[in-house]
Amino acid sequence: MTRPSTKSEPTTPANPRSEQNPKPASAPRAVTKKARLIALLGRKDGADVATISRNLGWLPHTTRAALTGLRKAGYDITSAKPGNGKSPRYQIIAMPDADAS
């Protein structure tokens, strides 16, 4: 036969982080990679996959997927091949209405 414990066990809050480390009220958000990508593509000459990959720390296939994601989000991105064996350069020519401000 076992006796029930008479000691009360410590209770833990449902979310221990909320009491120990409260979130700052309005911390400035760091510049996102999406914003940096849009800035690179907004340049006068645009940017090629190698430049974008190097600046954002992405592999080339990730860069191309991000370009596809922007297109699906409503950005009008053009691709121009400069010739002489150089890589195509991508540039935003129109933004969706929500981001055009």
Side-chain angles (χ1 to χ4, degrees):
M1 179 193 250
T2 60
R3 290 183 7 180
S5 175
T6 56
K7 293 182 182 179
S8 62
E9 293 184 26
T11 59
T12 57
N15 187 357
R17 286 191 91 191
S18 64
E19 291 179 11
Q20 294 173 355
N21 298 325
K23 208 175 189 184
S26 109
R29 184 170 179 171
V31 177
T32 63
K33 286 189 177 185
K34 179 180 177 181
R36 291 172 50 198
L37 174 62
I38 292 169
L40 286 169
L41 296 174
R43 294 181 187 174
K44 179 183 173 189
D45 295 331
D48 61 355
V49 170
T51 301
I52 295 168
S53 297
R54 186 174 47 257
N55 280 305
L56 298 178
W58 290 342
L59 293 174
H61 68 275
T62 306
T63 300
R64 288 187 294 273
L67 292 172
T68 300
L70 284 179
R71 285 186 178 116
K72 288 183 178 184
Y75 289 84
D76 194 3
I77 300 174
T78 185
S79 170
K81 185 145 182 158
N84 298 332
K86 294 185 179 181
S87 301
R89 299 191 67 81
Y90 299 91
Q91 184 177 19
I92 292 177
I93 56 175
M95 294 185 175
D97 292 334
D99 288 345
S101 52

